[in-house]
Amino acid sequence: MDKNDKIYVAGHRGMVGSAIVRELRRQGYDNIIYRTHDELDLTDQQAVNDFFASERPDYVFLAAAKVGGIMANSESPADFMYQNMMLEMNVINAAWRNGCRKLEFLGSSCIYPRMAPQPMTEDCLLTSALEQTNEAYALAKISGLKYCEYLNRQYGTDFISVMPTNLYGPNDNYHPRNSHVLPALIRRFHEARMADAPKVVCWGDGSPLREFLYVDDLANLCVFLMNHYSGNQTVNAGTGKEITIRELAETVARIVGYNGKIVWDTSKPNGTPRKLLDVSKATGLGWTYRTELNEGIKLAYTDFLSHTEATSTHSKDTGEVEK
């Protein structure tokens, strides 16, 4: 990418998209365009086609997605499949039809098979059954990834994909029901500390192993790959390190300052037993992560507090009751 190329970041308000915008600006890319959902509904095919025909971006980072944790995916599978499938296909197709030089599609490690060999290499995709708790989301993401691959094969496009592990960091979703595990734990332990609660209940038995990547490190990789990688096979994005959910909960509690008891509700699902990415492809290209988990959680907690304080201030200014 040249510094004056027009770059479209889809999903710029989300955790990943906003991190990509920060990284692009840090590296001197200033010709960045984006639209809010109110300005451009990516599930509206005609609106997306009109946008691309008018703006004709040179490069596209497709970070827009409907995301959520186990509960959200289990309760709304139809919504997760439809919205993700529609926005992906609309953006990718419009980019191809309007001469986009390169597109980067953001997948997710949760689309790998539930019982994939660990650590998971890029070629284990679609080799066995998916995790049932997020199957709809996984199927949509696989479709977007494969569509990029098929366009490359059939029409010679240069559309690549990245497969991030569990992400966290600035602009994360801290919703009490719809968030992923790490931001959910940050909120839960913070609220427990503020309420002086004697215990915090967590889902499952704490045994699943997970890998976590700070979102600004992912953004750095995304820009790196846009400049240095072309190919049909996706590229895993992670740290190559894992931690049990139990250890993660204890770490978050310590950083937040919660000293009560952690109780595990084994009637609730664990999700995939283990999910570790093989990141040798990314490291072989010359990239590695920078932010260790303890440091990243501290940064994420600071971000959470800034959002909490902003919400509190807004509630007081408008006379609303803070929930």
Side-chain angles (χ1 to χ4, degrees):
M1 295 184 293
D2 292 330
K3 294 299 193 256
N4 60 344
D5 285 331
K6 183 180 283 190
I7 303 168
Y8 170 47
V9 179
H12 74 284
R13 281 185 165 179
M15 177 173 61
V16 174
S18 61
I20 291 173
V21 171
R22 285 195 301 274
E23 181 66 19
L24 286 168
R25 287 176 173 162
R26 188 186 72 81
Q27 295 191 29
Y29 297 98
D30 295 320
N31 192 9
I32 307 170
I33 58 172
Y34 32 74
R35 297 290 186 275
T36 65
H37 176 74
D38 289 340
E39 294 169 330
L40 176 61
D41 179 357
L42 295 181
T43 67
D44 183 334
Q45 186 179 64
Q46 187 59 57
V48 173
N49 286 338
D50 290 345
F51 167 75
F52 271 84
S54 173
E55 293 291 344
R56 303 189 70 83
D58 298 299
Y59 294 89
V60 173
F61 290 88
L62 180 43
K66 178 178 176 61
V67 299
I70 292 177
M71 182 180 293
N73 276 272
S74 298
E75 291 179 347
S76 308
D79 295 343
F80 274 84
M81 172 169 270
Y82 177 80
Q83 292 184 35
N84 283 298
M85 188 83 78
M86 292 298 293
L87 72 87
E88 292 163 7
M89 293 299 166
N90 288 343
V91 171
I92 296 168
N93 183 266
W96 162 57
R97 290 187 179 279
N98 289 278
C100 174
R101 291 163 61 183
K102 194 167 187 176
L103 177 144
E104 186 173 297
F105 174 74
L106 274 294
S108 168
S109 62
C110 73
I111 76 177
Y112 281 133
R114 171 181 170 81
M115 301 305 293
Q118 303 288 323
M120 297 179 288
T121 57
E122 288 85 354
D123 58 7
C124 75
L125 187 66
L126 293 174
T127 55
S128 60
L130 300 170
E131 164 61 38
Q132 288 296 306
T133 57
N134 67 319
E135 183 183 64
Y137 176 79
L139 287 170
K141 281 293 186 180
I142 291 169
S143 297
L145 185 155
K146 284 295 183 181
Y147 188 43
C148 289
E149 178 184 328
Y150 298 151
L151 285 172
N152 290 345
R153 291 182 179 179
Q154 187 172 346
Y155 295 106
T157 53
D158 187 7
F159 290 1
I160 63 174
S161 61
V162 186
M163 195 80 80
T165 188
N166 298 288
L167 301 169
Y168 69 101
N171 290 330
D172 208 339
N173 173 21
Y174 298 99
H175 190 277
R177 289 173 60 85
N178 299 330
S179 58
H180 288 108
V181 60
L182 206 160
L185 289 173
I186 288 175
R187 177 175 183 139
R188 192 170 304 170
F189 284 117
H190 170 79
E191 292 180 344
R193 181 176 69 85
M194 297 301 292
D196 199 23
K199 66 178 182 180
V200 168
V201 179
C202 297
W203 278 27
D205 61 13
S207 65
L209 289 158
R210 292 292 183 269
E211 174 187 21
F212 295 92
L213 178 67
Y214 192 63
V215 72
D216 283 37
D217 289 352
L218 170 67
N220 179 259
L221 174 62
C222 287
V223 176
F224 175 85
L225 292 175
M226 190 68 96
N227 282 319
H228 299 289
Y229 177 74
S230 294
N232 278 335
Q233 192 176 64
T234 190
V235 178
N236 285 341
T239 64
K241 298 179 180 179
E242 58 189 344
I243 184 174
T244 67
I245 296 299
R246 182 180 295 272
E247 292 170 322
L248 178 69
E250 293 168 351
T251 300
V252 172
R254 183 180 67 254
I255 289 171
V256 169
Y258 176 72
N259 298 313
K261 186 177 181 181
I262 302 175
V263 177
W264 296 92
D265 182 356
T266 56
S267 69
K268 296 296 192 295
N270 274 328
T272 305
R274 189 184 183 201
K275 196 167 66 171
L276 177 66
L277 294 182
D278 183 323
V279 294
S280 56
K281 186 170 185 177
T283 56
L285 291 168
W287 178 88
T288 188
Y289 79 99
R290 296 173 294 188
T291 310
E292 296 294 349
L293 186 58
N294 270 21
E295 176 191 354
I297 293 175
K298 291 176 183 177
L299 293 169
Y301 185 45
T302 299
D303 175 69
F304 169 79
L305 291 175
S306 70
H307 285 285
T308 302
E309 290 169 2
T311 301
S312 177
T313 300
H314 174 74
S315 298
K316 292 173 183 176
D317 288 346
T318 59
E320 298 172 358
V321 177
E322 185 179 358
K323 297 180 176 63

